[in-house]
Amino acid sequence: MIYIEKALSEKDPFLIKGVTQKHELIENINSINESCLNGDIILKRRKNSFIIPYQYGHGITGKNEYVLRWGTGCKFSCLYCYVQQKINFTKILTVFADTKAIKEELQELFKIKKKILLNAGENFDSFICEKETGFTSRLTNMFSDFPELTVEYRTKSLIPENYINNVNSQNTFIAISLNPYYINKRFEKGTSDHNDRIQNIKALLDKGHRLALRIEPVILIDDYLNHYKKFFRQLSAEFDINRLESIDISLLRLTKKGFNFVKKNREIMSGEWILSTSDNKYRYFIRQRIIALKELKYALSKVYKGSIYIGGEPKNLLKYMI
Amino acid sequence: MKRLFNISHSQKQLLQETSFILDRSVESIINEFQDLYNDNLNSSNKKANTQKLIEWVFTLRYPEYSKAVELFENLKKQLSKKNIELKYDRSFENEDYHININFSDIKDLESSISVIQNNLKDLKEELEYIRP
């Protein structure tokens, strides 16, 4: 069931047109939460701001992007996910489906910035409910009003055919978050089938969509390099990997809470986890990280000639990647 | 086992974690330690025995990290003989190393600088081990 805040549907009468499932308009949307079931979707307004600068953590490098906070909840069960470890985490999806408010915030931001990179998938999978709500399509249409804006969608979901075939965007790109088959099966329960997702990438490229790949989080299980090498070969065999705009590689890092969450998993715990004094997160010992990232980057560069970025690491590590 | 060691709660946690990661029983880990170091264990000094055991278990659980610590601690020990203090971030995340030299006169300072210079090759190797 999709519950839509009545005031939101009045503000944006076209919102309901994208909704493909049974829905109900609700006057007092906050009263609905307790009666919702997993898989239900709530569309409502947002009380606080949508766009904030990305918080990288002390000393961690990034792309100076902003984050669009347009939804909460996740139906997946990735073992390592920090979102799931939050106290108020829910599998009920809430979409703050207010394109007008987002547009206003962008207009304000463009008064002080010439160009903006907006991450629209940092804490909410960008396509997790596109099939049911059509809201990502609406966002993409709205973003087209801002030629100096670049939007990164990020997803572990299958992109619906409707989006693949009917949406055409110059200033958005979809970053597909994908891991080797084994890691996906072991640690990313509930996400779409690995091979279906590769077919999905092919279909997106065929239709001319801008795509990037996020290989994250890399988990240093035994024999990880062979799993990743096989994965790179698989990608390269299935489609023209050089059509991807960029590929990011990021190793798993865990908050203290997240670390306790995975403590019972031997495969994850087998790495040498050290509590970093710089950002208070557990990371693989820096030697292991440098060796792994160098090996992965080298293996990937055999099949991919585009830009390979290392994410979530301090500057002092990146200089060893050259 | 009880006669030789006095294992605290946090030490027990490290043992259990190592046993879990290596898929070996705690008992087999302790037995291996005893086989290796039997001659150095003294039933009248449980504290020292336990310290040795835990240090050894730590190297099983964190082989690469403990090697880095060992390299730095050895260098630190070497330098401290000449009143030179080496400070480093124990997580090795920060490239932030400090050397303090305590000296009374120029001769003393020259001697300390010479010790540092003699250890530069080792330091270079240690830094390369941590960030290969």
Side-chain angles (χ1 to χ4, degrees), chain B residues 2 30 36 46 56-57 60 67 84 92 95 98-99 101 103 106 111 128 132:
Chain B
K2 278 182 185 168
I30 294 178
L36 286 169
K46 287 183 188 175
W56 180 75
V57 171
L60 292 185
K67 186 180 172 186
I84 303 162
F92 297 105
E95 282 184 309
H98 297 267
I99 282 180
I101 305 173
F103 64 96
I106 289 297
S111 163
E128 281 171 359

Side-chain angles (χ1 to χ4, degrees), chain B residues 101-125:
Chain B
I101 305 173
N102 293 322
F103 64 96
S104 50
D105 52 35
I106 289 297
K107 207 175 165 186
D108 195 17
L109 176 61
E110 281 174 345
S111 163
S112 294
I113 290 172
S114 159
V115 169
I116 292 172
Q117 279 176 333
N118 291 339
N119 281 286
L120 274 182
K121 194 171 164 252
D122 285 350
L123 181 59
K124 187 173 178 274
E125 282 172 8

Side-chain angles (χ1 to χ4, degrees), chain A residues 255-280:
Chain A
T255 58
K256 281 185 180 175
K257 204 173 172 184
F259 186 72
N260 286 327
F261 209 69
V262 299
K263 249 184 168 172
K264 295 266 181 275
N265 189 292
R266 184 180 285 124
E267 283 180 291
I268 293 182
M269 287 303 291
S270 65
E272 294 189 34
W273 290 96
I274 306 293
L275 184 62
S276 165
T277 45
S278 55
D279 65 357
N280 227 15

Side-chain angles (χ1 to χ4, degrees), chain A residues 19-82:
Chain A
V19 174
T20 58
Q21 272 193 0
K22 196 176 168 195
H23 61 271
E24 199 178 312
L25 293 180
I26 306 287
E27 190 87 44
N28 181 8
I29 197 78
N30 293 327
S31 67
I32 202 75
N33 285 31
E34 295 203 349
S35 53
C36 279
L37 303 168
N38 284 350
D40 285 345
I41 300 169
I42 299 170
L43 304 185
K44 66 178 195 177
R45 292 172 297 173
R46 188 178 174 93
K47 284 179 184 158
N48 44 19
S49 61
F50 276 93
I51 301 171
I52 56 164
Y54 194 111
Q55 307 291 324
Y56 293 103
H58 179 70
I60 306 302
T61 56
K63 298 170 185 168
N64 294 321
E65 75 243 54
Y66 286 81
V67 174
L68 180 69
R69 303 179 300 171
W70 61 285
T72 61
C74 186
K75 60 186 177 187
F76 306 143
S77 304
C78 301
L79 188 67
Y80 50 73
C81 179
Y82 76 95

Side-chain angles (χ1 to χ4, degrees), chain A residues 129-144:
Chain A
C129 55
E130 168 62 4
K131 199 173 176 182
E132 295 84 357
T133 66
F135 188 68
T136 312
S137 301
R138 288 184 56 71
L139 277 176
T140 305
N141 285 335
M142 183 271 288
F143 291 143
S144 67

